[in-house]
Each structure stands twice: as C-alpha cells, then as structure tokens.
Amino acid sequence: MSEPFDDVVEHVKAHADEALQAIVVYDETRHRDVYRREDVDALHDSALEAEVLADIRADRRRRESPAASEYEGEHRASAHVFDERVILHLPRDMDSGTILILDTAAARNLSEFVADIRDDIYGE
C-alpha cells in the first residue's frame, strides 16, 4: 500500500467495510494497487486482471451531447455488476482514475456509495 493513499484506503474501507477487495489507480501508462485484500491477492498482475482492467478503462461512457450531459449530469462512475463481484470505475479525467473491486454486498445503495467515495478519493 502506498502512503499517499493511506487516507483514501481508510475512507473507502469505512464505506465498503469488508466488501472492499481492491483499489487500483491508473494513469495513461500504468496501473497499480493501492490496496488489495489478502484473499484476492492471487489476481494481482494476472492476465485475467489485466484484461478486465483494460476493458473497464476503455468503456469511458463520456457524453458528446450537451443535451444528454445537461439532462444526466456529469459521468461519475461506471458499475460492472457480476455474480461474484462489483467493479466500479471512477474516472478522474481522460487518462486517469480509480477502479474499486468489491464483493456484491457493496452494490446496495450504490449511488450514495459512489458519491461518498468520490468525495474521499478526489475531494469532490
């Protein structure tokens, strides 16, 4: 775990509790773990994880239409809900962001959870 992210990890863990599996930050050239729960450590740097992270990063969901943006507001997060986990992509800008990997229990009250963790991570 990286020291500059200690506060972020603690805040996200406060919201997600034991549902938090991993926090991955990325920029235009790389990604890195800032937190990973021990029981999911085997996925770290695996081919499967690289494939999943690449797919999620490519799915930007940016709006080109001002009318759609005005109606829906700013894109805050993309949720990928699977049988065994939930992956949240919180883009910061076009080249950087944060990916949270969570147990499915975290999908309850998802909108509130996203707002809380974006504030903790990006100070919004």
Side-chain angles (χ1 to χ4, degrees):
M1 183 165 43
S2 177
E3 287 184 29
F5 291 97
D6 286 349
D7 287 343
V8 169
V9 171
E10 292 309 312
H11 287 299
V12 174
K13 284 176 82 173
H15 293 292
D17 198 31
E18 294 301 314
L20 181 62
Q21 292 184 10
I23 301 173
V24 180
V25 295
Y26 67 88
D27 60 23
E28 63 276 353
T29 60
R30 64 188 178 103
H31 69 271
R32 64 186 171 102
D33 285 1
V34 295
Y35 170 81
R36 182 157 310 252
R37 203 170 70 194
E38 288 181 21
D39 63 321
V40 295
D41 198 41
L43 285 176
H44 178 68
D45 278 340
S46 68
L48 173 60
E49 183 175 77
E51 177 184 335
V52 169
L53 293 176
D55 287 348
I56 289 169
R57 287 180 61 175
D59 186 16
R60 298 262 184 222
R61 304 280 179 191
R62 301 272 184 202
R63 287 291 189 197
E64 299 296 324
S65 163
S69 293
E70 184 177 330
Y71 179 74
E72 293 177 338
E74 184 180 345
H75 175 239
R76 313 288 288 160
S78 295
H80 303 263
V81 181
F82 301 95
D83 291 338
E84 301 299 325
R85 64 185 181 164
V86 174
I87 300 174
L88 291 180
H89 177 209
L90 295 95
R92 182 170 194 146
D93 54 38
M94 291 301 290
D95 295 318
S96 67
T98 304
I99 295 171
L100 303 178
I101 303 171
L102 306 146
D103 292 336
T104 56
R108 294 184 200 111
N109 303 317
L110 194 54
S111 293
E112 183 178 322
F113 179 76
V114 167
D116 289 344
I117 60 174
R118 278 194 71 89
D119 184 51
D120 290 339
I121 294 171
Y122 301 132
E124 297 176 345

